[in-house]
């Protein structure tokens, strides 16, 4: 099965599939479309019961042709990116979040030097925290401790390091009830709205 999105291609193979047939099909497709696969960026993520044999023997089945040595095979507890989401086997669920938190922290520090108004701070939170967490929280989900970190960062930036001026329950009111819709995307498709 193929999944094509922009310039990313994801291919799913079963242990009964042929590695050499796959590359014959890909070579033909590249010839016809004038596209070219960058083998330096090609990553193989084994999963299911024969994954150990793929890593050790570089074969998807005992009878298949060997996977070339220049292609990277992801071992357990390693990750690779598939359309922006970090995936892998036996991976701690926090894997993508430290880098995201670091980028958000840099954003907020940079924006803070501009002394934005309260309304400006609301927009920065939506762009930085909301924008950088939206996709990841929908794909792998946002762990509770990351959710708490994002809320702390939001409150610290919004209130300039001071104690919040408004109770959390009041902050959660929607726009038509006096809120200002500050978004943080949490736990898959669930969205929390914070008003000020």
């Amino acid at each position: 099965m193929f999944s094509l999105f922009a310039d990313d291609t994801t291919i799913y193979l079963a242990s009964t599939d042929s590695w050499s047939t796959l590359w014959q099909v890909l070579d033909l497709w590249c010839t016809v479309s004038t596209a070219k696969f960058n083998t330096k960026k090609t990553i193989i993520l084994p999963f299911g019961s024969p994954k150990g044999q793929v890593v050790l023997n570089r074969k998807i089945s005992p009878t298949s042709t060997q996977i070339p040595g220049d292609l990277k095979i992801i071992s357990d507890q390693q990750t690779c990116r598939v359309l922006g989401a970090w995936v892998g086997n036996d991976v701690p669920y926090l894997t993508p979040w430290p880098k995201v938190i670091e980028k958000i922290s840099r954003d907020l520090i940079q924006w803070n030097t501009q002394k934005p108004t309260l309304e400006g701070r609301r927009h920065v939170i939506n762009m930085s925290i909301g924008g950088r967490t939206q996709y990841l929280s929908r794909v792998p989900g946002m762990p509770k401790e990351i959710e708490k970190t994002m809320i702390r960062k939001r409150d610290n930036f919004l209130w300039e390091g001071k104690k919040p001026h408004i109770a959390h329950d009041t902050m959660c009111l929607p726009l038509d009830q006096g809120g200002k819709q500050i978004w943080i995307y949490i736990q898959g498709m669930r969205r929390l709205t914070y008003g000020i």
Side-chain angles (χ1 to χ4, degrees), residues 8-178:
D8 286 335
T9 304
T10 305
I11 301 168
Y12 303 90
L13 295 176
S15 59
T16 54
D17 290 329
S18 165
W19 180 259
S20 55
T21 302
L22 165 68
W23 283 96
Q24 289 170 6
V25 170
L26 291 176
D27 286 342
L28 178 61
W29 183 78
C30 286
T31 301
V32 172
S33 68
T34 66
K36 184 177 179 182
F37 276 96
N38 186 346
T39 55
K40 291 179 182 175
K41 289 186 174 180
T42 300
I43 297 173
I44 298 159
L45 173 63
F47 58 92
S49 56
K51 67 181 178 181
Q53 115 181 339
V54 175
V55 175
L56 292 174
N57 302 330
R58 301 190 70 83
K59 292 183 172 189
I60 60 173
S61 73
T63 57
S64 74
T65 54
Q66 198 163 32
I67 297 167
D70 60 338
L71 298 181
K72 182 176 182 178
I73 300 177
I74 301 293
S75 299
D76 286 350
Q77 298 186 339
Q78 291 182 323
T79 58
C80 64
R81 282 181 81 167
V82 178
L83 295 177
W86 291 94
V87 295
N89 294 307
D90 302 323
V91 178
Y93 63 88
L94 291 175
T95 300
W97 292 104
K99 287 183 181 178
V100 172
I101 291 170
E102 185 181 316
K103 287 177 182 177
I104 288 171
S105 296
R106 280 198 311 262
D107 286 351
L108 298 181
I109 289 167
Q110 180 64 36
W111 277 107
N112 209 32
T113 63
Q114 304 302 310
K115 305 290 184 209
T117 63
L118 191 60
E119 182 67 10
R121 288 176 183 278
R122 178 182 79 85
H123 287 296
V124 170
I125 290 168
N126 285 342
M127 287 185 312
S128 182
I129 298 177
R132 290 192 186 277
T133 61
Q134 181 179 5
Y135 181 76
L136 279 175
S137 58
R138 288 180 183 217
V139 179
M142 184 184 286
K144 279 286 182 196
E145 56 265 44
I146 300 300
E147 179 180 337
K148 289 176 186 172
T149 299
M150 294 300 170
I151 290 170
R152 265 194 318 272
K153 287 193 171 299
R154 177 208 65 197
D155 289 348
N156 188 50
F157 181 76
L158 184 64
W159 302 113
E160 300 180 58
K162 299 173 186 139
K163 186 178 177 183
H165 302 323
I166 299 173
H168 179 76
D169 290 345
T170 306
M171 288 180 66
C172 292
L173 292 173
L175 196 63
D176 61 358
Q177 294 178 23

